[in-house]
């Protein structure tokens, strides 16, 4: 949708939170859904892009290998020029835009240009990362003030331009941002201006994500403690007595799948349930959709069937998409579910059954196992000789079901209700993470997710893909993955997404 003709452009400054996608605010998400253009930074979780419209223009303005890909002045100009085209421009920034985020400068430029703007605060890393590290920033007995301090300097070298004497004299909690590389300087300055070497300190790197890592110690010991690991940005440094509460309050790092990045290859709202559950388990979902469903090239087989529904005795759905596209088409040809009266409805899998029930239609048979073979077995218990079945499904699908039913004497009309295609999902970020070995699990929920995933990633990445654990929803999908040379280690007993996630949890419990 292009809204640009009939509305005034505006700039919306949105805080994206510190990393965990769930820490984006509801307002932030709504603006992303409405945006025509999105400019986003290095520290923004790129997965948020999935909330945007397909037509939205997405521009990365963050750093590439430590060098700004766009100067601040250029960013300001871009915000102004895109808004002048009448567009809703979202400026998405890590954490909260008004805490060391240059949000103020950008809005000043927008204001000077006379452009309307909105500001949506975000969860700053100061509070977000502290919460996920289990460190309360204030506490009645331990700290009544909080100072948020820059650990960086403008000129990239030497001292940080702050009043060390006054800061070292403060009694409450001190939080340094942008201080990863300057940790030795920060602790040395604080101690030389009189802060006790026994003051507790925690450094949290990549907080609220699977890469969260914490070092704790005292001002006197932390440099040595963290020396062997090389702390890299982004890292938050928390100094004060409150750090001692961490062992009691820490929780995120104890979740069953903490530290694991799990690739989700399903699409749209089917992916959402999986992503939610992964987050609950403490994993970081990596959204990489490999399937897009669109209308089939030719509606005529389905239209014919819909116009002659009375000739059928049974209707079989094998996927949620099949149900959705079927109902949409029913509406398109000016019919409704009343025409389905008298048809017995069969489904494979509980999700498909739910999708049917959501329409107010009873499901007559859901087989015990969620594969075609099991449905054939269930249907086989009925006398289907000479009965006519309609099977609305993907253009390309396994032939087992229609073939077997035909063998049993049924007449089966296969009608394409949708087609799956390969989306143009960008591969770069996934490729980098696979090669770095920081992808732990790749999940496949159908044979086509396997095939499309490999088609998108290509031969070159196969060795890196093999370093991750492969989790498949059921034996058919697992066989496809194995045939493609992957080593499948996780397959649940029940072929559902919740069972797949349970199986992943069990796998990591015992490995
Ligand atoms: N506006 C942002 C801060 C931008 S400055 C906010 O409100 O959080 C960037 C600094 O933020 C980093 O150098 C680091 O100190 C901190 N930071 C941001 N995300 C972080 C994360 N996930 N873990 C630890 N520190 C983070």
């Amino acid at each position: 949708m292009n809204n640009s003709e009939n509305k005034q452009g505006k700039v919306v400054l949105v805080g994206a939170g510190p990393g965990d996608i769930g820490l984006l605010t509801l307002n932030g998400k709504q603006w992303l859904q409405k945006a025509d253009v999105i400019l986003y930074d290095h520290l923004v979780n790129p997965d948020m892009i999935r909330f945007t419209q397909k037509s939205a223009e997405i521009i990365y303005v963050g750093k590439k290998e430590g060098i700004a890909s766009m100067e601040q002045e250029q960013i300001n100009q871009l915000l102004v020029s895109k808004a002048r085209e009448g567009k809703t421009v979202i400026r998405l920034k890590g954490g909260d835009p008004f805490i060391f985020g240059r949000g103020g400068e950008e809005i000043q430029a927008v204001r000077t240009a006379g452009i309307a703007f909105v500001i949506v605060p975000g969860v700053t890393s100061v509070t977000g990362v502290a919460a996920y590290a289990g460190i309360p920033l204030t506490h009645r007995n331990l700290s009544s003030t909080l100072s948020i301090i820059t650990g960086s300097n403008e000129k990239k070298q030497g001292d940080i331009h702050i009043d060390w004497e006054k800061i070292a004299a403060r009694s409450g909690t001190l939080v340094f941002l942008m201080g990863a590389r300057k940790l030795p300087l920060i602790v040395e300055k604080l101690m030389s201006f009189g802060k006790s070497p026994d003051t507790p300190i925690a450094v949290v790197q990549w907080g609220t994500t699977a890469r969260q890592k914490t070092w704790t110690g005292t001002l006197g010991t932390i440099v040595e403690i963290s020396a062997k690991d090389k702390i890299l940005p982004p890292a938050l440094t928390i100094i004060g007595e409150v750090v001692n509460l961490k062992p009691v309050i820490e929780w995120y790092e104890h979740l069953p799948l903490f530290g694991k990045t799990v690739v989700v290859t399903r699409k749209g709202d089917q992916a959402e349930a999986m992503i939610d559950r992964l987050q609950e388990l403490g994993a970081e979902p990596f959204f990489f959709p490999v399937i897009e469903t669109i209308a089939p090239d030719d509606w005529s087989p389905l239209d014919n069937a819909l116009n002659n529904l009375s000739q059928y005795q049974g209707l079989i759905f094998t996927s949620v998409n099949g149900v959705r596209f079927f109902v949409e088409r029913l509406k398109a040809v000016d019919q409704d579910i009343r025409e389905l009266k008298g048809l017995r409805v069969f489904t494979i899998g509980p999700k498909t059954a739910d999708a049917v029930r959501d329409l107010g239609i009873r499901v007559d048979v859901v087989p015990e196992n969620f594969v075609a073979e099991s449905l054939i077995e269930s249907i086989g218990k009925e006398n289907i000789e000479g009965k006519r079945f309609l099977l609305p499904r993907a253009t390309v699908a396994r032939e087992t079901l229609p073939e077997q039913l035909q063998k049993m004497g049924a007449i089966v009309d296969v009608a394409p209700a949708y087609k799956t295609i390969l989306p143009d999902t960008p591969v770069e970020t996934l490729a980098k993470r696979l090669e770095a070995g920081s992808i732990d699990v790749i999940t496949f929920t159908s044979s086509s997710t396997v095939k499309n995933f490999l088609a998108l990633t290509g031969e070159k990445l196969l060795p890196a893909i093999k370093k991750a654990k492969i989790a498949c929803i059921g034996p058919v999908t697992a066989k496809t993955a194995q045939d493609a040379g992957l080593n499948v280690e996780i397959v649940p007993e029940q072929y559902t997404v919740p069972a797949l996630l349970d199986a992943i949890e069990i796998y990591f419990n015992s490995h």
Side-chain angles (χ1 to χ4, degrees):
M1 187 178 60
N2 187 350
N3 304 321
S4 47
E5 287 92 30
N6 52 12
K7 67 167 198 201
Q8 288 269 303
K10 66 157 86 64
V11 170
V12 187
L13 182 62
V14 176
D20 181 347
I21 210 161
L23 298 178
L24 176 68
T25 65
L26 288 177
N27 275 357
K29 186 176 172 190
Q30 272 168 9
W31 278 113
L32 280 182
Q33 286 164 340
K34 284 190 264 188
D36 298 311
V37 185
I38 295 113
L39 274 70
Y40 76 101
D41 269 350
H42 170 58
L43 284 178
V44 168
N45 183 339
D47 248 12
M48 284 180 192
I49 301 304
R50 76 170 195 269
F51 300 135
T52 61
Q53 312 177 60
K54 234 187 149 232
S55 58
E57 184 186 359
I58 318 267
I59 308 172
Y60 177 72
V61 296
K63 289 183 186 137
K64 282 185 186 126
E65 270 96 46
I67 299 153
S69 65
M70 219 183 254
E71 294 297 331
Q72 189 61 51
E73 184 53 32
Q74 266 179 299
I75 297 175
N76 297 356
Q77 277 170 12
L78 197 59
L79 288 171
V80 169
S81 66
K82 292 284 179 191
R84 283 210 170 119
E85 289 170 26
K87 293 182 169 152
T88 298
V89 184
I90 309 299
R91 177 67 178 109
L92 191 60
K93 286 177 157 291
D96 180 90
F98 279 3
I99 293 192
F100 299 130
R102 298 201 184 187
E105 289 170 46
E106 292 180 15
I107 290 300
Q108 280 174 310
V110 167
R111 174 75 182 79
T112 306
I115 287 167
F117 61 87
V118 174
I119 298 165
V120 181
V123 174
T124 174
S125 59
V126 177
T127 55
V129 172
Y132 277 50
I135 302 171
L137 294 171
T138 66
H139 190 280
R140 270 201 298 163
N141 307 330
L142 301 172
S143 165
S144 319
T145 63
L146 168 64
S147 307
I148 300 171
I149 308 160
T150 178
S152 165
N153 58 338
E154 284 294 295
K155 298 203 179 67
K156 300 272 169 230
Q157 276 168 6
D159 203 352
I160 305 165
H161 300 291
I162 52 178
D163 188 338
W164 286 108
E165 190 173 359
K166 288 201 175 118
I167 285 182
R170 289 185 192 172
S171 56
T173 308
L174 308 182
V175 175
F176 282 87
L177 282 82
M178 302 177 285
R181 295 202 171 87
K182 291 245 154 51
L183 182 68
L185 177 78
I186 292 169
V187 296
E188 181 230 294
K189 285 279 185 192
L190 290 175
M191 288 191 292
S192 68
F193 282 97
K195 228 183 190 6
S196 160
D198 296 330
T199 314
I201 175 170
V203 182
V204 190
Q205 179 183 276
W206 276 118
T208 81
T209 77
R211 287 179 277 177
Q212 175 168 321
K213 190 168 162 62
T214 311
W215 295 264
T216 50
T218 62
L219 288 182
T221 61
I222 192 74
V223 172
E224 204 189 314
I225 287 172
S226 60
K228 62 178 190 319
D229 302 307
K230 190 167 194 226
I231 301 170
L232 291 173
L236 194 81
T237 304
I238 305 173
I239 300 167
E241 296 302 319
V242 287
V243 170
N244 286 340
L245 295 170
K246 179 170 167 60
V248 181
I249 296 180
E250 64 185 12
W251 60 279
Y252 182 60
E253 291 142 345
H254 297 295
L255 292 176
L257 291 184
F258 167 69
K260 306 284 183 253
T261 300
V262 180
V263 177
V264 175
T265 52
R266 334 187 84 198
K267 174 98 213 212
D269 47 354
Q270 297 176 17
E272 294 300 324
M274 194 159 170
I275 288 172
D276 284 352
R277 179 74 186 131
L278 280 169
Q279 281 179 323
E280 232 171 72
L281 293 167
E284 184 181 328
F286 189 105
F287 184 56
F288 186 75
V290 300
I291 291 189
E292 191 165 328
T293 45
I294 58 169
D297 296 330
D298 181 12
W299 282 116
S300 55
L302 185 59
D303 286 356
N304 276 338
L306 294 177
N307 288 320
N308 296 289
L309 277 171
S310 59
Q311 63 180 332
Y312 293 100
Q313 283 78 45
L315 178 58
I316 307 172
F317 291 110
T318 55
S319 70
V320 173
N321 281 317
V323 178
R324 286 201 188 137
F325 278 87
F326 176 85
V327 173
E328 280 308 309
R329 197 61 194 166
L330 200 62
K331 282 187 209 152
V333 299
D334 206 23
Q335 299 197 17
D336 65 44
I337 58 168
R338 285 172 298 181
E339 326 289 337
L340 305 180
K341 190 172 183 325
L343 263 84
R344 279 175 72 69
V345 179
F346 305 85
T347 61
I348 296 181
K351 282 279 164 225
T352 313
D354 285 345
V356 172
R357 289 187 196 110
D358 285 347
L359 299 167
I361 300 172
R362 192 186 66 227
V363 180
D364 296 286
V365 179
V366 188
E368 254 172 56
N369 283 319
F370 309 130
V371 286
E373 286 72 7
S374 187
L375 181 65
I376 294 161
E377 202 182 304
S378 309
I379 296 183
K381 289 179 193 143
E382 307 184 8
N383 179 12
I384 58 168
E385 178 92 47
K387 299 234 168 98
R388 198 172 192 113
F389 289 84
L390 175 60
L391 175 54
R393 61 168 202 185
T395 312
V396 181
R398 289 171 71 211
E399 292 310 324
T400 320
L401 185 61
E403 277 174 14
Q404 290 297 319
L405 295 177
Q406 272 153 0
K407 266 194 205 142
M408 289 150 70
I411 305 150
V412 183
D413 292 339
V414 173
Y418 62 97
K419 170 166 112 169
T420 63
I421 57 164
L422 201 61
D424 50 3
T425 309
V427 185
E428 297 76 35
T429 316
L430 177 70
K432 257 193 230 148
R433 298 226 19 205
L434 279 168
E435 274 163 355
S438 74
I439 294 289
D440 299 281
V441 185
I442 305 170
T443 60
F444 294 116
T445 51
S446 66
S447 292
S448 29
T449 58
V450 178
K451 289 180 194 148
N452 286 10
F453 181 85
L454 294 173
L456 275 170
T457 48
E459 275 290 311
K460 219 180 88 214
L461 279 176
L462 200 59
I465 291 169
K466 285 182 177 167
K467 281 193 266 173
K469 306 290 171 217
I470 306 296
C472 291
I473 195 159
V476 178
T477 308
K479 170 97 179 26
T480 309
Q482 275 149 0
D483 289 349
L486 301 179
N487 179 21
V488 181
E489 290 189 61
I490 305 166
V491 184
E493 273 172 29
Q494 213 194 24
Y495 316 142
T496 64
V497 168
L500 177 65
L501 296 176
D502 288 347
I504 295 173
E505 186 183 343
I506 293 165
Y507 177 89
F508 283 108
N509 265 338
S510 55
H511 284 79

